[in-house]
Amino acid sequence: MPCLGVAFIAVVVGATAAVLKAWNSAGIKLGETTYFRVVCTAAVVELPWYRSFADLVEPRIRAYLGRYLGDLKKFERLNLEWKRVCFAAPEVELLKRKLLFSKLPVTLAEDLECLIWSWSREYQRRYNWSFRVAAGRICRAVSLLSKRYSVLVKLENLRGIKRKNVPHLRRWSWIRLVKLVLGCTSKKVGVALVDPSYTSSKCPVCRGWLRRRTYRMLICANCERKWHRDVAAAVNIALAEPRRMLRTPRSP
Ligand SMILES: [Zn+2]
């Protein structure tokens, strides 16, 4: 399930209790606390609504094919032009094997391609909504903290970076995330950009290389500590030096 990694660093010792309270009020379940140079609490916030695109479209494609299945038998006897249906999304291509079809008469294939395209728009809208809800919960925790402490939010500077590993349909525009954080947090909250290099590949504690165990689980080659991929990235971002200040933090 896609999620957002978030890490809070309490620079002032007394702020740790306030951080835990803010997590609670925003409904974020504390994942792990790390003690190294600073007290760092990290968590993953799951997207509240999530179904993969394949799960969303499979029953719809089944219903569509079911409607024409009888006719398909007749079509086979006719001399029609057949076309391989293009799903555009690699995560749905596998469905063809499951549903045991790849070619349809041209008009049906084009009709189905059109439908899948409009379903992908619908899916993207749902995914964006879900992402906004999850990010909104983090912004709420940040705003709560800013009532008592000076807060600086750090984000990766992903301007111009293409995220090849993220499926097309789940790609959230980075600039929208920056705007969301700037718009949904109090004006007193500072927002800074950090260098994104090695945030997901180095251990936040010992700086050793992280090796992949599963898609989401990483292990440090040096200290053998296990990390959730998004938590490791969040802690590294929280520890990184701000490179560009988008909004200066103000004391409450
Ligand atoms: Zn390590």
Side-chain angles (χ1 to χ4, degrees), residues 9-206:
I9 286 176
V11 181
V12 190
V13 177
T16 314
V19 167
L20 297 178
K21 218 173 143 191
W23 280 124
N24 236 343
S25 306
I28 301 169
K29 222 174 117 211
L30 181 68
E32 55 183 288
T33 309
T34 314
Y35 303 93
F36 30 108
R37 279 168 288 162
V38 284
V39 180
C40 176
T41 52
V44 285
V45 182
E46 287 184 350
L47 267 55
W49 169 90
Y50 185 73
R51 275 170 86 192
S52 72
F53 184 56
D55 285 348
L56 179 85
V57 298
E58 188 184 334
R60 297 180 184 188
I61 297 175
R62 272 185 199 281
Y64 184 90
L65 292 175
R67 207 181 310 150
Y68 293 106
L69 210 62
D71 293 334
L72 277 178
K73 298 251 161 49
K74 284 182 225 157
F75 291 153
E76 274 167 17
R77 276 180 252 130
L78 299 171
N79 194 17
L80 287 175
E81 198 186 331
W82 290 65
K83 181 181 182 277
R84 195 173 288 276
V85 183
C86 173
F87 277 164
E91 42 200 326
V92 196
E93 284 295 329
L94 293 172
L95 273 182
K96 277 189 203 164
R97 233 173 288 158
K98 201 169 159 193
L99 299 173
L100 298 171
F101 86 102
S102 65
K103 282 182 174 182
L104 286 177
V106 174
T107 42
L108 279 186
E110 284 175 356
D111 187 33
L112 186 57
E113 280 171 3
C114 252
L115 280 171
I116 291 168
W117 189 84
S118 72
W119 294 334
S120 74
R121 301 285 106 192
E122 178 197 331
Y123 175 82
Q124 214 153 29
R125 275 197 303 276
R126 286 195 196 198
Y127 183 83
N128 288 352
W129 169 82
S130 166
F131 188 98
R132 273 199 301 272
V133 173
R137 283 166 69 190
I138 299 169
C139 289
R140 190 176 134 75
V142 169
S143 295
L144 282 169
L145 276 172
S146 73
K147 286 182 185 168
R148 281 186 62 194
Y149 297 97
S150 169
V151 182
L152 177 66
V153 176
K154 292 179 190 171
L155 299 166
E156 279 179 302
N157 188 355
L158 297 177
R159 187 185 291 275
I161 293 179
K162 289 199 173 82
R163 284 164 294 161
K164 285 183 206 148
N165 297 334
V166 184
H168 177 71
L169 287 166
R170 298 211 315 252
R171 225 166 275 175
W172 173 270
S173 131
W174 167 78
I175 198 73
R176 278 170 78 186
L177 175 65
V178 174
K179 282 182 184 167
L180 189 93
V181 172
L182 284 167
C184 296
T185 50
S186 139
K187 295 278 173 286
K188 290 177 198 156
V189 174
V191 181
L193 299 179
V194 306
D195 182 3
S197 319
Y198 307 116
T199 47
S200 311
S201 50
K202 287 216 168 176
C203 171
V205 177
C206 72

